Amino acid sequence: MKTVLITGANKSIGFETARQLLQQGYYVYLGCRDIKKGEQAVNQLQAEGLNEVELIEIDVNSIESVTAARKALGQKTQVLDVLINNAGIGGGIPQPSLETDITFFKQVFETNLFGVIEVTQAFTDLLRQAAAPRIVNVTSGLGSLSLHNNPAWKYYQIKPAAYVSSKAALNAYTIVLAYDLRDTAFKVNAVDPGYTATDFNNHSGPGTVPDAAAKVVKAATLGLNGPTGQFFSDDNAPETGISPW
Ligand code: NAP
């Protein structure tokens, strides 16, 4: 049975990604920073008959927590097939580039970039034990530098400075990571789930959580000939699904 660790999985897109991967027969380690919320999420999945799931406490902002989570997972399995870096924060809008406090920028980067790097580095040894390891970094269409420079783009005027910068940086990390793992069986991709109705945006997004999670699941379950080092986004590129960086 293939194993997957998903960060920020107690609700919304992360939770639904867990549900869909359980339905596909994966064993899911549900990464949650709040044990109570995590237990509720596990209970909900098990009440649906999806039993191959257990909680891993992980706050991606804390190296101690990430280290403890790696230790805990290592006591449960020696092989991790899929890592989904889903935990992220938006911080609300607007975030003007000149007025947004640097402390706020650092908070957003802490979760959306540094947390992803710490988690990825901590779990890569377990991923290397898998025959076909997959890493999915959940990014945003707003992380595209090319499109932020294109006045015709539908989200051209949506520029929360800290969030955009953090997801653009996450995209950069993803492409370098994919390059560094190019001679291995790893597939490393960035996935934009699309503008989706969740707590993240006070449910303003037009997309549904199941559709968003399906995009993440697709990248998590890529076959041997699947792409690596790509930025998938239906929002940015409805025809090809591949966004410009
Ligand atoms: P959400 O409803 O706000 O859920 C975010 C999840 O991340 C929650 O489980 C939250 O845990 C967790 N989280 C936040 N900080 C964490 C930390 N330091 N350590 C561990 N977990 C943490 O957001 P969502 O809409 O599902 O978004 C998921 C991902 O999709 C994010 O990376 C986001 O940037 C990306 N995305 C979303 C949209 C959208 O329209 N929704 C669009 C593009 C990209 P708590 O419940 O404990 O807070």
Side-chain angles (χ1 to χ4, degrees), residues 2-239:
K2 285 192 174 178
T3 54
V4 54
L5 171 64
I6 308 167
T7 64
N10 55 283
K11 68 177 184 180
S12 306
I13 297 170
F15 179 72
E16 177 62 23
T17 300
R19 179 189 274 135
Q20 292 184 15
L21 285 170
L22 283 161
Q23 288 165 344
Q24 291 198 24
Y26 281 71
Y27 194 98
V28 174
Y29 295 101
L30 203 76
C32 309
R33 61 176 164 179
D34 182 307
I35 292 186
K36 267 200 179 151
K37 288 185 198 169
E39 283 172 351
Q40 282 171 1
V42 167
N43 290 343
Q44 188 177 333
L45 291 167
Q46 291 182 340
E48 295 172 19
L50 301 167
N51 293 308
E52 308 291 350
V53 53
E54 61 186 297
L55 173 62
I56 291 282
E57 183 181 5
I58 182 166
D59 180 340
V60 306
N61 287 358
S62 156
I63 188 66
E64 291 79 16
S65 173
V66 172
T67 304
R70 166 64 188 82
K71 197 173 164 200
L73 194 68
Q75 286 164 355
K76 298 171 188 296
T77 181
Q78 289 308 303
V79 183
L80 182 64
D81 292 281
V82 182
L83 171 64
I84 300 178
N85 287 306
N86 166 75
I89 57 171
I93 48 175
Q95 295 171 19
S97 54
L98 293 176
E99 290 81 19
T100 301
D101 196 90
I102 190 65
T103 310
F104 178 83
F105 267 87
K106 288 180 180 177
Q107 282 169 1
V108 174
F109 269 73
E110 196 62 56
T111 304
N112 295 358
L113 179 67
F114 304 135
V116 172
I117 297 171
E118 283 178 4
V119 171
T120 302
Q121 291 180 346
F123 288 92
T124 301
D125 60 339
L126 292 181
L127 287 161
R128 285 188 193 279
Q129 302 308 312
R134 304 287 177 257
I135 298 176
V136 182
N137 290 336
V138 181
T139 183
S140 167
L142 296 181
S144 170
L145 294 178
S146 306
L147 292 174
H148 274 296
N149 209 25
N150 175 3
W153 182 39
K154 67 175 171 176
Y155 296 129
Y156 180 68
Q157 291 174 339
I158 312 294
K159 296 195 190 314
Y163 185 68
V164 165
S165 306
S166 73
K167 291 295 190 180
L170 174 62
N171 286 355
Y173 180 69
T174 305
I175 204 166
V176 173
L177 180 65
Y179 176 80
D180 288 343
L181 292 168
R182 67 195 177 285
D183 294 328
T184 71
F186 275 79
K187 307 282 184 203
V188 181
N189 291 292
V191 175
D192 164 26
Y195 186 19
T196 305
T198 69
D199 292 348
F200 190 83
N201 48 36
N202 295 318
H203 297 259
S204 62
T208 70
V209 171
D211 284 350
K215 296 171 195 175
V216 178
V217 166
K218 191 174 170 192
T221 57
L222 285 173
L224 290 182
N225 296 321
T228 190
Q230 291 289 350
F231 177 8
F232 297 114
S233 173
D234 292 341
D235 259 7
N236 285 0
E239 282 159 23

